[in-house]
Amino acid sequence: MQAIDLLEILPELILLLVICFILLVTPFFKEKEVNDDDVFFTPNAASFAYQLTILTLLVLAIMFAMRVSDVPMRIMNGLYIVDPFSNVLKSVSAIAVMVTLIYSKQYLIDRQLFRIDYIALVLLALLGQFVMISGANMLTLYLGLELLALSTYTLTAMRPNFPRGIEAGMKYFILGALSSGFLLYGMSMIYGATGSLDLDDILRNTSNDAVMHLVLSFGIVFLLAGLAFKLGAAPFHMWVPDVYDGAPTSVTLLIGGAPKIAAFAITFRLLVGGLQNLDVDWQPILIFLSVTSLIVGNLTAIAQTNIKRMLAYSTISHMGFMLLGFLCVYDELAYSASFFYAVTYVLSTLGTFGLLMILSKKGFECETIDDLKGLNRRSPLLAFIMLLLMFSLAGIPPTVGFIAKLSILDSLVDAGYLGLAIFAVMASLVGAFYYLRVVKTMYFEEPTDNSVITGQGFAKGILTINGIFILLAGIFPAFLTTLCLQAMRTSLQG
């Protein structure tokens, strides 16, 4: 390893040092006496770790944002790649985790989860995402994936005296281990056929006619099965609703937010960076995963009364939509459309689950659609933000979700997938039903709880900015779409 390598991975090193500091130093902080009457009581160590984490994430987001025009570079003997694509995704991931923690603070305090181990696990999950995003070798990608997965398994089950969370954590762990087996088996078959784990070498070797094509085909099937699980795409989706429902809402937001960006990155690295020459093998599988996800996600979400499960099934349909962009091989516009879709989906999801946490309080979880009845009368601002978020997820103009769906559809039509584009539009129309049902519940039904929504002023302010961004990015999308296209174009050329 050279000095330039350390400089390029400086943000990751800073994150690792902060995690070590939190785990090794903050346990020695002197705590004040617990007073049951003090509803705002927070442990000194956790409070310090939280503030240090927010500051670190802000610095990391800025550092990555300042490097979006860097020249693509492979470091650490080709194991790690730093390019505009990875810098944009890492910056968004850091912002997403920072916003997640801001939304979650009071929720965590109320449920005795505001602890240093919780914060350290969140940061470890983010470090895993960074490694996934920049992995240029199958081994690096897998290590990043497991670091993220092991952290989220633990977070799902760590709420004390909450059997539903423990059950969800166990299910997540067992199915996650199974999917990792699929992924590793696929990687080993590809290694056996090409003789390398490096994505560039794999790309070169797969263009050789002497390569064992049958072994590669089986490897791709297992690889995509593992990836589909990580993305939450049907028919490998059964863990998604149970984990979203069983995990504390703060963890649901963490799983549903930034990791989706990392899942998009690892799919891009593997399929486009390493297996592009075998597109005739993986394209039919992606079509199957996309169509199945759109059908299962949208139709099953209609029947849900629990809003967390509804959003879980909607996530499945959104992953199906995002995968459609990978069908247009060699088209940087299509890839950037999927890139844009992943980023805007995460921003919309952050606001949705953030609002559910703001509405929750000690002894009460805002989990069902009925809990949103009459929200407009209790808080017109929060109701309007939720309306914008639902419109964005449904793909209704003028929100950014409409632009994201339109970009994917445009790419599909250009690539000759007209029938698939029509099917995706019809699936989106079905999906609009359950999003608009939430809007109807907020604006046209009587509230069951007339108490004033108080507290969490800073989180409400961030949520308002989140909602306004969803609207403004839909009206003026040029900056974000150009950023995604430039980052994708530079990375593909590199």
Side-chain angles (χ1 to χ4, degrees):
M1 185 183 293
Q2 300 174 356
I4 186 70
D5 294 353
L6 293 177
L7 191 62
E8 291 298 328
I9 60 169
L10 182 61
E12 283 89 341
L13 290 176
I14 292 174
L15 181 59
L16 183 60
L17 287 174
V18 169
I19 295 168
C20 293
F21 180 82
I22 288 173
L23 287 174
L24 296 175
V25 178
T26 53
F28 296 100
F29 280 31
K30 187 177 180 181
E31 297 290 348
K32 56 189 175 185
E33 291 185 10
V34 179
N35 184 352
D36 293 337
D37 296 330
D38 184 2
V39 294
F40 297 108
F41 171 79
T42 54
N44 284 335
S47 186
F48 177 81
Y50 176 83
Q51 291 169 16
L52 177 63
T53 298
I54 296 294
L55 179 63
T56 304
L57 293 176
L58 182 62
V59 170
L60 292 181
I62 294 171
M63 287 177 75
F64 285 123
M66 291 174 66
R67 297 166 62 174
V68 293
S69 57
D70 284 3
V71 177
M73 183 182 296
R74 283 180 181 271
I75 56 175
M76 302 169 72
N77 297 321
L79 291 172
Y80 210 72
I81 183 167
V82 179
D83 55 6
F85 173 74
S86 63
N87 287 330
V88 172
L89 289 180
K90 287 178 191 173
S91 181
V92 176
S93 296
I95 292 172
V97 173
M98 182 179 70
V99 172
T100 298
L101 286 173
I102 291 172
Y103 288 154
S104 308
K105 185 178 180 184
Q106 191 57 45
Y107 181 92
L108 295 173
I109 292 171
D110 291 343
R111 286 149 190 83
Q112 301 174 14
L113 283 170
F114 194 68
R115 310 193 311 243
I116 54 175
D117 53 346
Y118 181 96
I119 295 170
L121 283 169
V122 169
L123 293 181
L124 279 171
L126 179 63
L127 185 60
Q129 292 166 49
F130 286 172
V131 176
M132 283 172 68
I133 290 170
S134 276
N137 183 290
M138 285 196 178
L139 189 60
T140 319
L141 290 170
Y142 182 72
L143 289 176
L145 186 65
E146 285 304 299
L147 182 56
L148 166 66
L150 291 172
S151 303
T152 49
Y153 298 155
T154 312
L155 285 166
T156 302
M158 74 183 300
R159 182 175 174 183
N161 305 316
F162 193 60
R164 193 151 54 99
I166 297 170
E167 180 188 345
M170 289 287 290
K171 188 176 291 186
Y172 194 15
F173 172 71
I174 292 169
L175 293 177
L178 185 65
S179 74
S180 293
F182 280 132
L183 201 66
L184 278 178
Y185 197 52
M187 288 179 175
S188 65
M189 294 184 89
I190 292 169
Y191 174 72
T194 62
S196 177
L197 289 171
D198 185 87
L199 295 181
D200 275 355
D201 289 343
I202 292 171
L203 186 64
R204 277 192 295 274
N205 293 341
T206 50
S207 62
N208 188 342
D209 292 337
V211 73
M212 294 180 286
H213 193 87
L214 184 62
V215 177
L216 274 177
S217 299
F218 275 108
I220 288 172
V221 171
F222 282 106
L223 189 75
L224 283 177
L227 284 178
F229 176 89
K230 302 301 180 187
L231 285 166
F236 303 96
H237 64 285
M238 292 309 294
W239 65 275
V240 180
D242 291 339
V243 171
Y244 271 48
D245 184 25
T249 308
S250 58
V251 179
T252 307
L253 173 56
L254 184 76
I255 295 171
K260 299 301 180 196
I261 293 175
F264 164 76
I266 193 174
T267 307
F268 176 79
R269 297 285 187 208
L270 287 170
L271 296 186
V272 181
L275 300 169
Q276 196 172 64
N277 295 329
L278 302 170
D279 58 290
V280 291
D281 293 306
W282 53 258
Q283 272 197 324
I285 303 174
L286 278 195
I287 292 175
F288 171 74
L289 292 174
S290 302
V291 171
T292 312
S293 298
L294 287 169
I295 294 173
V296 171
N298 284 314
L299 291 182
T300 317
I302 292 174
Q304 305 303 315
T305 56
N306 182 306
I307 192 165
K308 287 171 70 176
R309 292 187 77 86
M310 186 201 86
L311 291 170
Y313 281 106
S314 85
T315 297
I316 296 165
S317 71
H318 281 287
M319 290 303 103
F321 220 104
M322 189 189 74
L323 286 175
L324 291 175
F326 285 95
L327 298 177
C328 316
V329 179
Y330 307 118
D331 188 344
E332 60 192 20
L333 287 173
Y335 294 147
S336 72
S338 280
F339 185 2
F340 181 73
Y341 194 94
V343 171
T344 55
Y345 168 74
V346 168
L347 293 174
S348 302
T349 301
L350 284 176
T352 308
F353 282 106
L355 190 138
L356 294 183
M357 278 191 287
I358 288 175
L359 293 179
S360 299
K361 52 192 175 186
K362 197 168 187 176
F364 169 73
E365 297 279 350
C366 181
E367 290 186 336
T368 66
I369 296 175
D370 284 349
D371 292 333
L372 298 173
K373 279 183 175 178
L375 179 62
N376 183 48
R377 297 190 185 182
R378 298 175 63 201
S379 174
L381 175 63
L382 292 181
F384 180 66
I385 292 169
M386 191 63 162
L387 178 142
L388 291 175
L389 296 167
M390 290 294 107
F391 274 21
S392 181
L393 290 171
I396 297 173
T399 56
V400 72
F402 170 72
I403 304 296
K405 285 185 187 289
L406 189 64
S407 302
I408 295 278
L409 294 173
D410 189 38
S411 302
L412 281 176
V413 173
D414 286 346
Y417 292 102
L418 181 61
L420 208 52
I422 293 172
F423 175 78
V425 171
M426 293 173 66
S428 295
L429 289 175
V430 173
F433 171 80
Y434 52 83
Y435 292 122
L436 293 178
R437 185 176 60 181
V438 174
V439 175
K440 168 187 165 287
T441 303
M442 292 189 302
Y443 280 88
F444 300 106
E445 294 194 20
E446 293 294 325
T448 53
D449 179 7
N450 289 307
S451 62
V452 179
I453 301 167
T454 58
Q456 305 191 60
F458 187 57
K460 283 183 186 174
I462 297 295
L463 183 65
T464 305
I465 294 171
N466 195 162
I468 291 172
F469 182 83
I470 293 294
L471 180 62
L472 291 180
I475 298 172
F476 309 105
F479 170 74
L480 200 52
T481 53
T482 305
L483 179 67
C484 292
L485 180 59
Q486 290 296 338
M488 185 61 72
R489 182 173 290 161
T490 310
S491 298
L492 286 173
Q493 289 171 352

